[in-house]
Amino acid sequence: MKLLIIFLFMWSSYSHAKVIGKVSNALSDSWLNEVKVVNIRNGAVAFTNEYGSFEIDAVVNDQLVFSLRGFEDKAVIVPNNKLVYALLEPYEFQDTGSLNSLLSTGGRQSQTLASTPASVVVISQAEISQFGYQTLTEVLNHVSGLYLVEEHSWTGSGQNVGVRGYMSSGVNNGLLIMINGVAQYEDYWGQFPLTRADVPVQAITRVEVVKGPMSVVYGNQALLGTINIITRADSSGQIDVSHDEISYSMNNLGDMRVGAKLSYEGNSNHTLTFGASYDAGKFDTKALNTDSGFTSDYNDSLSAQSFFLGLSSNYRKNLVLNANFSQAKKGILADLSFASKHFGRISGRQYADINGTNLSLSYRHFWLDDAAQTKTTLGYFSHNSLQDYASGGVTYGFASYRSKAIQLEWEVSLNGRKLYQMPLNIRFGGQSRRALDLHTTFDIGTAISVTDRYISIDHDDTLDTHSMFFQLDYQLNDKWLIDAGVRAERVTSYQMIFGCKNPLNLCNEALHSANAPAMNGPRSLYERKANVGVLPTEYTPRVAVIYKSNDSAVLKLIYGVGARNPSFGQNADVLEALSAKAFKREQVKSWEFIYLNQFSDDAINLSVSSQISLYYSELNGLIVRHGLQSFARTGAAKGAELSAKVSWGQLFARLGINYYHAEDYQMDNRVPSSPEQLAQLRVGVTIAEGMDVGLSARYLDKMYNSFSSCTLQSGCTYINPEKPYSDSAYLVDVSFKMSEVFGLPVTSQFGVKNLFGTNHTHPVSSNNAWLKRGFPAEPRQVFMSFKYQL
């Protein structure tokens, strides 16, 4: 009986033991209310109060699980002192319109829109679906402040992205393009080909665009900004909504696209994305008005096929794998006048077959009760391209290039508030990238000077880029935040080989010219070597002062420097010309003032968020490719941007107005392909349950064509002197969406792009100089799409 009484007493004491604790936001350190706390052993449940405090039946070594919508679940083991402190991490993304929205691209960790030291635009899946975007380029074309130009380059790389008065014509994009945070950088030309990033739009969770130099965060690849395409499942929505879906779209021009997205969420999270497309080409180049013998009899001269496979996988957000594989075959244009002379009228189809592999594996580890974390990332990147030129079914030439690289990144983050009770966060780390294989070949049978030629990095050499960065943000008080950082980057020297497979006289003469001071390496019968010297260490700082006057208004003053290293292919251009030295770094210095404001009235269900940006930037040494030559330009740009987002009941609207004035100090004070004014208005409204209408209107100002020649004395002579620029254009799109079809979880949509058939052309570039009017950009098209929620 005595033993029974002791047992009952111990059981009663054990079962009614209490544990107390507090729960806070890991990002802002504020207390969290209404957090659900569950004891896994006995099923006890408790909720935190407005001060983040809770009390629950538990004992030492019990496992408590904390959950709150919008935050990651957290499991904590009760310590010996029975005092529990839990920090919940917010989901990476919540609401695009709120100053407290979390972004992943503006810094090396999640930051709110209010505290991100940059100008950021977010396009969510809801907007993509609302307005019927069918391709990634359509999404980017509708981002306020961006403009895309398709030069139909011989590389088949797709559209180049311009921003704030600048565009790097040729094969390069001035913005770092990422998929789930993994850069799609190709090392030979230093480009981000959108053709290879053909992510199915129905699988995109959101697109984050940062305008302004971001080199302090991402290194030399982010000269003018960043674009991050995110496909991971967005868990900030309803937990019981499936992320699994398949999609199909088509239009009256014969374009077809299919996509799929499969997700699993648990202790390990996985998102698999698949996409395939066929573009019919839209234009018959034979029907275009040309002033030369170059044209094609093939109706599908510019048709394209693409394939994309992406995987984003993580285990408790500590071990993360991101991978994407892509291949695209795209019709291209090449003004090979010598081929016309040898073969007469070209009747074949030229195309580029390109593929890419980008892998990234990272491991994150927390230390000191989550007050510190380390992250290590290993990446592998491989890109290949083949350009095939044919006439009448007979191959008369091809070119190819390939590049492979590995990259190691490491970083350390310290939370000063948790370590030393100081409102200071520190991040530092480094990056090393090694290009292992850089090689291109030219075998154009009708042009002796480029027959059996190749350019490559010495097989015993590598092109290495090393950098270190340091960043901090200090919260002076509830209103003032200072964010500062600097990156130091250095590029090693390397040896470039110019060679011929056969010792043809012309090739041999070009390689051994006495007027080749840059060609200072050893000579042989087949090869000539050139040494590219080391680039001095470049320091790219960024300083931002952020003032939050209240919960609805934020002011940001930002100074930043961006830099980009000249690529292997760009240096090959000037060294092969035997008249110039290797390029220096491109650099942009930018000053920007940003005002953010949000307003909401729950009584009438109205929410308005707006942003005003004023900026001035100076760019030195922007490398542009004109024909088969590259050169550097220097200029400045200034401008103003206004954007607003309105949500009122069943209506959604987004407005963007952009004005830029760009000057090129070396090229007649004009920057080709840079519009002075851009404007857009998008309105979406729910007209009935499950039925939405989206209307998009855009204005694109005139853009100057490329030039045929320029001198400091007489300025530039444009390809078409009578009309040196493309026309301005107003473009209107309309779409209708139904959320359910016959009670099935099918979202259907149809609409019209370029509703009024506006004659909109891209500016003329050296790649399509034979078409002096400019190449048609966006014809009218009727589309339909279907998305089935699994």
Side-chain angles (χ1 to χ4, degrees):
M1 186 65 180
K2 183 178 180 180
L3 292 176
L4 180 59
I5 293 175
I6 294 175
F7 173 78
L8 291 174
F9 176 79
M10 293 179 62
W11 176 84
S12 177
S13 299
Y14 182 84
S15 61
H16 291 87
K18 297 290 184 180
V19 168
I20 61 174
K22 296 182 80 77
V23 183
S24 62
N25 186 326
L27 188 64
S28 64
D29 291 333
S30 58
W31 304 123
L32 294 177
N33 189 18
E34 296 296 325
V35 177
K36 185 178 181 180
V37 188
V38 179
N39 187 332
I40 298 299
R41 178 184 59 82
N42 59 17
V45 177
F47 291 88
T48 59
N49 61 21
E50 59 183 316
Y51 303 107
S53 300
F54 71 92
E55 183 181 70
I56 192 172
D57 293 334
V59 296
V60 176
N61 293 327
D62 275 357
Q63 185 182 47
L64 305 181
V65 175
F66 301 83
S67 60
L68 179 64
R69 183 175 176 179
F71 292 81
E72 297 283 359
D73 290 351
K74 178 85 171 183
V76 177
I77 302 299
V78 176
N80 291 329
N81 61 8
K82 297 184 180 181
L83 297 176
V84 176
Y85 294 94
L87 301 173
L88 301 191
E89 285 196 14
Y91 285 125
E92 192 172 24
F93 176 73
Q94 291 174 344
D95 173 24
T96 59
S98 169
L99 295 179
N100 294 319
S101 304
L102 286 175
L103 307 171
S104 61
T105 307
R108 299 198 68 88
Q109 62 181 8
S110 294
Q111 292 177 294
T112 64
L113 179 61
S115 61
T116 298
S119 176
V120 184
V121 178
V122 180
I123 304 297
S124 66
Q125 173 57 222
E127 286 187 62
I128 293 174
S129 177
Q130 177 90 56
F131 298 103
Y133 305 140
Q134 301 300 296
T135 66
L136 176 61
T137 55
E138 281 188 23
V139 175
L140 298 180
N141 257 322
H142 288 79
V143 173
S144 177
L146 297 189
Y147 45 97
L148 277 67
V149 172
E150 171 64 274
E151 296 183 352
H152 298 284
S153 166
W154 61 272
T155 65
S157 56
Q159 302 201 15
N160 276 5
V161 186
V163 61
R164 292 186 167 180
Y166 293 128
M167 168 167 281
S168 184
S169 179
V171 296
N172 306 289
N173 274 315
L175 286 83
L176 163 66
I177 298 178
M178 301 182 289
I179 298 177
N180 292 322
V182 180
Q184 306 298 294
Y185 184 74
E186 181 273 305
D187 289 80
Y188 189 94
W189 286 114
Q191 65 173 334
F192 299 92
L194 278 174
T195 300
R196 279 202 289 261
D198 195 13
V199 184
V201 294
Q202 290 83 359
I204 296 176
T205 300
R206 68 190 186 278
V207 178
E208 296 181 1
V209 178
V210 181
K211 292 176 286 186
M214 292 293 291
S215 292
V216 68
V217 179
Y218 295 105
N220 78 88
Q221 301 166 6
L223 177 71
L224 302 176
T226 62
I227 298 172
N228 193 10
I229 305 150
I230 299 171
T231 64
R232 292 188 295 267
D234 181 12
S235 300
S236 63
Q238 297 288 342
I239 301 300
D240 58 350
V241 172
S242 170
H243 300 296
D244 302 337
E245 60 192 32
I246 56 176
S247 61
Y248 173 78
S249 66
M250 61 181 179
N251 63 27
N252 63 310
L253 301 176
D255 301 341
M256 294 178 289
R257 297 180 177 274
V258 62
K261 182 175 182 179
L262 303 175
S263 301
Y264 170 80
E265 295 190 47
N267 286 334
S268 59
N269 301 326
H270 313 278
T271 302
L272 180 69
T273 304
F274 165 79
S277 68
Y278 171 76
D279 291 333
K282 300 182 178 63
F283 307 104
D284 176 10
T285 55
K286 182 180 179 181
L288 298 175
N289 181 24
T290 68
D291 293 332
S292 73
F294 178 81
T295 187
S296 171
D297 290 334
Y298 280 36
N299 291 340
D300 64 346
S301 295
L302 297 176
S303 64
Q305 306 89 40
S306 71
F307 166 85
F308 177 87
L309 180 65
L311 174 65
S312 180
S313 191
N314 70 75
Y315 178 73
R316 294 185 182 276
K317 280 198 169 183
N318 291 330
L319 184 64
V320 179
L321 170 67
N322 281 300
N324 57 78
F325 311 90
S326 59
Q327 183 177 28
K329 180 180 288 188
K330 182 175 182 179
I332 59 175
L333 300 177
D335 190 2
L336 303 176
S337 57
F338 56 82
S340 296
K341 294 177 182 178
H342 284 75
F343 290 93
R345 189 179 183 86
I346 297 176
S347 59
R349 175 175 181 261
Q350 300 81 47
Y351 70 87
D353 189 351
I354 62 179
N355 61 76
T357 299
N358 302 276
L359 303 173
S360 172
L361 180 65
S362 62
Y363 176 72
R364 183 176 67 166
H365 189 79
F366 292 93
W367 308 84
L368 304 176
D369 295 328
D370 294 348
Q373 65 169 304
T374 55
K375 183 180 179 181
T376 304
T377 304
L378 180 64
Y380 171 78
F381 313 89
S382 175
H383 299 94
N384 299 277
S385 178
L386 170 67
Q387 289 77 39
D388 192 2
Y389 311 101
S391 177
V394 178
T395 299
Y396 63 81
F398 71 90
S400 67
Y401 67 86
R402 66 175 186 260
S403 66
K404 295 179 181 178
I406 57 175
Q407 181 172 291
L408 175 66
E409 292 182 272
W410 63 272
E411 63 181 81
V412 179
S413 301
L414 302 174
N415 188 318
R417 191 183 297 273
K418 299 173 186 175
L419 281 175
Y420 307 111
Q421 301 302 311
M422 294 178 57
L424 175 69
N425 294 317
I426 297 175
R427 301 178 297 280
F428 60 91
Q431 180 189 93
S432 293
R433 187 180 183 100
R434 168 165 290 186
L436 303 169
D437 182 21
L438 300 169
H439 187 94
T440 189
T441 61
F442 307 91
D443 190 6
I444 311 299
T446 56
I448 299 177
S449 62
V450 291
T451 300
D452 292 332
R453 294 284 306 278
Y454 63 90
I455 304 173
S456 68
I457 195 169
D458 193 305
H459 61 84
D460 292 327
D461 206 352
T462 57
L463 197 169
D464 296 338
T465 305
H466 305 289
S467 65
M468 297 280 291
F469 73 88
F470 175 83
Q471 291 179 256
L472 65 85
D473 58 76
Y474 183 73
Q475 189 82 43
L476 293 175
N477 50 45
D478 293 340
K479 296 183 179 295
W480 290 94
L481 172 67
I482 297 177
D483 188 292
V486 64
R487 178 180 288 266
E489 190 161 71
R490 181 176 180 271
V491 180
T492 63
S493 61
Y494 58 92
Q495 193 168 68
M496 190 179 293
I497 297 176
F498 297 82
C500 296
K501 297 179 182 178
N502 298 303
L504 298 177
N505 291 335
L506 186 57
C507 179
N508 191 42
E509 181 181 344
L511 290 176
H512 295 77
S513 171
N515 299 319
M519 298 290 190
N520 51 12
R523 303 179 181 182
S524 71
L525 184 62
Y526 298 96
E527 291 185 346
R528 177 77 170 164
K529 295 185 178 181
N531 294 319
V532 179
V534 60
L535 287 178
T537 301
E538 176 86 11
Y539 296 92
T540 54
R542 182 180 68 180
V543 178
V545 178
I546 301 174
Y547 176 71
K548 187 175 182 181
S549 58
N550 52 55
D551 291 337
S552 301
V554 175
L555 294 93
K556 304 178 183 180
L557 182 62
I558 305 169
Y559 169 75
V561 176
R564 183 169 63 184
N565 302 320
S567 69
F568 182 90
Q570 290 167 336
N571 277 330
D573 276 351
V574 293
L575 293 180
E576 190 178 30
L578 309 178
S579 60
K581 296 182 180 180
F583 283 114
K584 298 181 180 179
R585 279 190 180 92
E586 301 168 301
Q587 186 187 73
V588 61
K589 297 179 180 179
S590 178
W591 295 260
E592 183 172 7
F593 172 79
I594 301 173
Y595 174 69
L596 296 171
N597 184 272
Q598 68 178 26
F599 167 80
S600 61
D601 189 335
D602 295 337
I604 58 175
N605 198 17
L606 174 66
S607 175
V608 180
S609 59
S610 60
Q611 175 175 308
I612 299 175
S613 298
L614 304 175
Y615 83 94
Y616 175 81
S617 59
E618 297 178 351
L619 193 146
N620 183 38
L622 177 68
I623 301 173
V624 174
R625 200 167 203 262
H626 182 77
L628 297 177
Q629 296 182 349
S630 295
F631 53 89
R633 304 197 338 252
T634 295
K638 54 188 175 183
E641 300 176 336
L642 168 65
S643 62
K645 179 180 175 182
V646 180
S647 178
W648 184 25
Q650 303 299 317
L651 182 143
F652 167 88
R654 190 191 283 267
L655 170 70
I657 300 175
N658 307 272
Y659 171 78
Y660 310 116
H661 181 69
E663 294 182 347
D664 188 324
Y665 297 147
Q666 297 171 346
M667 300 299 172
D668 196 26
N669 293 327
R670 289 172 180 164
V671 178
S673 305
S674 175
E676 283 197 347
Q677 300 175 59
L678 298 170
Q680 63 171 228
L681 173 64
R682 284 178 286 163
V683 179
V685 61
T686 301
I687 58 177
E689 185 176 356
M691 182 174 292
D692 298 276
V693 177
L695 177 69
S696 172
R698 287 180 291 151
Y699 170 75
L700 287 81
D701 199 7
K702 61 187 180 183
M703 290 182 275
Y704 282 93
N705 297 328
S706 292
F707 38 79
S708 57
S709 63
C710 286
T711 65
L712 293 177
Q713 293 75 23
S714 59
C716 294
T717 301
Y718 289 91
I719 291 176
N720 185 355
E722 297 179 358
K723 190 176 182 182
Y725 49 80
S726 62
D727 291 330
S728 58
Y730 291 92
L731 301 170
V732 177
D733 305 336
V734 63
S735 65
F736 301 86
K737 184 182 72 171
M738 294 183 61
S739 299
E740 289 189 357
V741 178
F742 303 117
L744 298 174
V746 175
T747 299
S748 62
Q749 192 164 27
F750 69 93
V752 183
K753 306 290 184 182
N754 193 359
L755 179 64
F756 300 109
T758 303
N759 182 23
H760 173 40
T761 62
H762 292 300
V764 179
S765 74
S766 60
N767 290 298
N768 51 28
W770 52 272
L771 190 60
K772 295 184 179 181
R773 296 188 311 178
F775 201 86
E778 299 179 42
R780 180 193 288 131
Q781 55 180 290
V782 180
F783 74 91
M784 294 187 66
S785 67
F786 304 90
K787 181 169 68 174
Y788 180 77
Q789 204 82 28
L790 299 178

